Amino acid sequence: MKATEPMLGQVCPAHSLHVPAMILRHHIGPLKGTDRGLLVRVGEGTRKISCELRKKGIETDIFASPSLREWLQFPADTAVDTETLSQAVETVLDGLAVFQDGLLLLRRDYQDVSSWSTAPMIMGIGASYYEIDHFALVVADRLEHADYLWRLAEADARLVEGPGVWPDDFCEHLNASGSYLSMVFGTAKLPNGGTVVLLAPNAQGDQLDRWRRSRQQGALHHVALSVTDIEVAAAEFNAEGWKPMSKQPVSDGALTQWFLKNSADQIIELIHRSDQKSTATFSCANITELRSAELRQVPAKSDQ
């Protein structure tokens, strides 16, 4: 057995009361005691969760072994303030977004632009937790879009895509896809490592405008979750009721993406980056394939 793989034993007494209760509350399954601490399977978001906890003064161990990459360990030899630990774990695992009454919403604490730079870029789906690569929010119009970008700049966010009208200013060959599908678009990189995509209707009554009007304040257009193996992740999501919106993922060699939808018409994007330094949320090659799949599902123009 490798040195990075702890021996399993009884649940560590130092953590036997408070951590398991929090784990159960968040529907996390496997929980094991080891001679080095409490080992918990949290899913793909392990590294991000560990990073977020460290910001709050809680040290955890992560593992290099592929068999343990989804496991987080609370060390047994570290003094723990149970109240601090409880608050930190709850805040981090609650994450940025939540499903509520069939809607994917920003949590109440994170509905203002000023809070996004400190929000935990974590989201739980079923019994697993994922790092949020980016989230997409729809605002009312161009004026509000510009105001949001200005406020993000004030919060030390960095503009990495746009602003402009998509696809006209980004992928010219997609213009024929229909003006009702276009949108005002801009992407900002947040100081906490997350990314926000701001969208606004390009014209009153277009597809995005109708989408926004049918949903309440704080509703998210979609959330992109970072995964290691996109096909394995898609199979797990499929078992939870999420259906792929295209027959297979799309990839330009650097960015691999797959959009899935559930019965409540919520959208999750699975994303894998070959280049971890990349900040792109789309590529014209990928979006051509994704848009083609979407157009096959759009009603006739007479219905638009």
Side-chain angles (χ1 to χ4, degrees), residues 63-83:
F63 305 95
S65 170
S67 64
L68 286 172
R69 67 178 175 80
E70 294 191 359
W71 292 76
L72 188 70
Q73 184 171 257
F74 292 86
D77 58 357
T78 302
V80 176
D81 179 300
T82 57
E83 183 175 352

Side-chain angles (χ1 to χ4, degrees), residues 137-194:
L137 182 72
V138 181
V139 299
D141 51 34
R142 292 170 184 265
L143 185 62
E144 189 173 19
H145 192 270
D147 179 64
Y148 267 67
L149 290 179
W150 179 76
R151 292 168 64 191
L152 281 167
E154 278 199 322
D156 296 323
R158 177 170 55 92
L159 193 64
V160 293
E161 292 172 334
V165 174
W166 191 94
D168 306 54
D169 299 330
F170 300 90
C171 306
E172 293 182 0
H173 64 286
L174 290 177
N175 288 344
S177 65
S179 60
Y180 56 89
L181 294 176
S182 65
M183 63 188 74
V184 180
F185 183 95
T187 302
K189 188 74 172 178
L190 301 168
N192 61 0

